[in-house]
Every structure is written in structure tokens, then in C-alpha cells.
Amino acid sequence: MKGLVFKDKGLIDWSEVPTPKIINDEDIIVKIEGFTFSHADYRPYLGMDDTVAKNTIMGHEGVGIVSAIGKKVTTLKVGDRVVISCITHCNQCKFCQQGLYANCLNAGFILGTKINGTHAEYVRVPYGETSVYKLPSEISTEQGLMLSDVLLTAYENVILKVDFNKINNVALIGDGPIALAILLFLNSYHKKVTVFGHHRAKLEVFKANGAEQIINSKDNEFGDEQYDLVVECVGNDRDTFTLAQQLVGFNGTIISIGVFKKPVIFNLNELWHKNITIKTGILNNAATLEVIAEILAKKLDPKVLVSQVYNKDEVMEAFNQFENKDYFKIVVKL
């Protein structure tokens, strides 16, 4: 089979690799129908982190068909169509028992980092029964792929953490796929949403999909409005957490989703009197079935998140298009 192999900084290759086999009784093998990329795949390529071991197949997002199952797998069968969660979990350790699957002591965020991932024709998924979800035929490959990571990041870290009865206005900092996914969910709550970003084409997509106001941060004109909820979706040490503190209002909440590699400044001396709340965290993929139900009920269409679709002969081109800052998610269909 072929897989997208991380060789070293700046060096990846869509090349022939061994087809995975069942190793443990809880494993399943999934024949990949499609996969997508995220910043977690791109940062090692740029040399920004060392989370991916050399000669590892990249990727943690995928949709496919179960092609083999381990002896202890009873709730899945060969032929089932599934979405692969970016978080693999054993469902037995102390963290899994609390629903904190990202902190699983036996797995966690391992696909495409510690073990071979989903950017391939086949992938082995440890703890298959608890790490994939059956996908209804009504949900397309493109829609299903958004369930691996981006939709659940938005839903679990924002929608499930906020009492929207106490929210009147929302600021989204960042114009990437996570912010757009949050907006798609927020549309059901009919709140005023302002999006801060610096990619004009992307900001227009937010405007077309429910944002009341878009503000180009390149203009350095942020206005005086204070927000009940501020969601920071950028990270990468770009002063976005500082902006979040400037935008949050009295009794407001800041949710930080962006990944930071360096310390950031928390201006407690300016904020202590505002009675603010700060929330952080990573997704656990625990609410996947809830989000599937939302898609089936047509409360949102995650296909909006997909900017371009490529085929199996265009994998390298697809990966390189990650540099296109006007794109949200890029999908490869095998």
C-alpha cells in the first residue's frame, strides 16, 4: 500500500509501505476512504515540533471501511463504515473512566505521531471499538472527515462548556477551520458573532455563513466592544491571547484552543475586577454521536469546511496546498 511518510524536517514522501496487520486483540484495520490534514501534521514538517518520529506515516483524521478486526472486537464487523477519532483510547484507565480520553494512559493522541497514522490506504487503529464510530451512509466522506477532529474540537471545547443563556455576543479570534466550525454550531444559538482574522477570502466565508461582523486584524482596528465570550483559535505565540484579554467583558469567558509553544502573558492586574473565567482543554471525541445527530438533523453542514478535494494521485500536491492561506480543510479521497 501507499502512505504519506514523514522522513525528516521538510521531507515527506507518498511511497510504498507495508500494509498494517492486527497486532493486539483490540485492534481493527480500516481501509481508508479519505483523509484530511491539520496543523499537527504540518508543524513537524516545518520543524516546529518533534512530535512525529521519523519514518512514521502521518495523519490522525480519516474515514474508511473496517477490513479486519481483532479477536476481542465484538461491536464492529468487517464492512462497517467508520470515522476514526483523532483520540485513541482504551476506555479502561483512570482518565478514560472520567471521559478524559485525550489523557488515556494507554493511547491518546498517538495516530500519526507515536504510531502510523491515517494518511495511507490502510491504518491499524488500537482499541478500535472505542476509537472509531460507525458512520451513516447519509454522511459524505467530506462531512465525515470533519468528525475526526475539527468539529469535535469546536463542540466539546466551546458548545459544551458555555451556558449560552448568559451570552449575548461572541468574538472568534482566528479565521481558520476551528473558528469556522465553532461558527457553524453557534448559528443555532442566534448570537452576535464577530470574527477577527487577517485572510480576506476566509473572512468572507465567515460572513456568508452567519458572522454578523468580520474584522481584518491587519488594520489594527479592533473597536471598543467587549464580549461575553471570546474564543482564541490561533495560538502560535501571535499575541492572540493578549487580544482575547482586551476583548473580554465583565463576567466574560475566554476559551483558548490555540496551541502555544511559549509562555504567554496573563494581565491579571488589569482583569482581576472583571470576574472573568478562562477555559482550556483538548478534545476527547466523547461527543461524536451527538455531532453526527446534528449533521443528520441538518443543523449544520460541515462540508462548508472543505476548501478542496484531491485524489490518490495528488497526495503530495494536496499536502503542499496546506500553505494556501485561503483554504480551510483539504481532503484526499482514495
Side-chain angles (χ1 to χ4, degrees):
M1 72 164 191
K2 282 194 171 183
L4 189 61
V5 181
F6 175 75
K7 300 288 188 178
D8 205 342
K9 175 184 175 181
L11 183 60
I12 59 171
D13 187 31
W14 178 246
S15 55
E16 288 293 331
V17 292
T19 302
K21 299 179 180 179
I22 298 292
I23 297 176
N24 301 308
D25 290 344
E26 298 87 358
D27 291 350
I28 65 171
I29 306 296
V30 177
K31 184 179 188 297
I32 294 294
E33 183 179 294
F35 59 77
T36 184
F37 306 99
S38 86
H39 281 93
D41 307 312
Y42 206 60
R43 284 193 298 269
Y45 173 75
L46 295 176
M48 295 173 63
D49 67 39
D50 56 358
T51 55
V52 180
K54 293 179 182 179
N55 298 315
T56 299
I57 297 171
M58 304 170 71
H60 56 269
E61 300 166 85
V63 164
I65 307 297
V66 176
S67 63
I69 59 174
K71 294 178 180 179
K72 292 185 178 180
V73 176
T74 59
T75 60
L76 294 169
K77 63 181 185 301
V78 172
D80 282 342
R81 182 170 180 253
V82 297
V83 55
I84 301 166
S85 294
C86 67
I87 301 296
T88 304
H89 70 280
C90 69
N91 214 33
Q92 297 175 356
C93 71
K94 65 178 182 179
F95 290 117
C96 283
Q97 290 300 304
Q98 299 174 64
L100 304 174
Y101 304 142
N103 299 96
C104 176
L105 295 174
N106 298 306
F109 191 73
I110 60 173
L111 285 173
T113 57
K114 295 181 179 179
I115 66 172
N116 286 330
T118 59
H119 294 170
E121 294 181 282
Y122 290 85
V123 62
R124 179 180 70 91
V125 183
Y127 306 107
E129 286 189 309
T130 53
S131 302
V132 305
Y133 292 87
K134 293 180 184 179
L135 197 61
S137 59
E138 300 97 310
I139 295 180
S140 69
T141 301
E142 292 92 328
Q143 292 174 318
L145 284 169
M146 301 305 106
L147 289 159
S148 281
D149 188 338
V150 63
L151 282 177
L152 272 296
T153 296
Y155 189 73
E156 293 183 353
N157 283 300
V158 178
I159 304 304
L160 294 185
K161 288 185 176 181
V162 174
D163 181 357
F164 284 97
N165 292 318
K166 299 178 181 178
I167 300 294
N168 294 306
N169 60 354
V170 181
L172 301 180
I173 301 175
D175 52 20
I178 290 176
L180 183 55
I182 294 168
L183 178 66
L184 297 179
F185 285 113
L186 287 176
N187 285 336
S188 297
Y189 294 88
H190 308 291
K191 306 298 180 181
K192 178 185 176 183
V193 180
T194 300
V195 180
F196 296 80
H198 63 275
H199 302 101
R200 191 173 301 279
K202 280 182 174 179
L203 287 172
E204 291 301 326
V205 175
F206 280 88
K207 188 69 173 177
N209 283 278
E212 182 167 321
Q213 185 178 17
I214 53 175
I215 295 179
N216 194 323
S217 55
K218 285 185 177 179
D219 298 333
N220 293 316
E221 299 278 344
F222 300 122
D224 298 322
E225 186 169 1
Q226 300 281 277
Y227 297 87
D228 299 326
L229 173 62
V230 181
V231 187
E232 187 282 315
C233 307
V234 181
N236 293 330
D237 319 309
R238 294 180 180 173
D239 292 327
T240 48
F241 189 67
T242 298
L243 177 59
Q245 295 171 69
Q246 294 169 355
L247 295 176
V248 69
F250 184 77
N251 276 342
T253 297
I254 295 173
I255 298 178
S256 185
I257 297 176
V259 177
F260 294 88
K261 293 297 182 182
K262 298 178 182 178
V264 295
I265 295 174
F266 176 39
N267 296 298
L268 183 58
N269 58 312
E270 298 175 7
L271 294 170
W272 67 272
H273 67 287
K274 281 192 172 184
N275 195 39
I276 69 166
T277 299
I278 296 180
K279 296 178 182 288
T280 65
I282 189 172
L283 77 162
N284 294 293
N285 286 97
T288 302
L289 294 179
E290 294 177 36
V291 180
I292 287 175
E294 297 245 332
I295 297 171
L296 292 175
K298 300 189 183 304
K299 292 183 178 180
L300 76 160
D301 183 2
K303 197 172 181 180
V304 172
L305 291 157
V306 179
S307 297
Q308 188 65 265
V309 179
Y310 293 87
N311 64 43
K312 63 182 180 180
D313 298 319
E314 302 171 313
V315 173
M316 294 302 296
E317 180 183 350
F319 185 83
N320 290 332
Q321 281 298 322
F322 204 92
E323 294 181 346
N324 188 328
K325 302 304 181 184
D326 288 336
Y327 282 178
F328 290 98
K329 296 291 281 185
I330 296 166
V331 165
V332 174
K333 294 175 73 172
L334 302 180

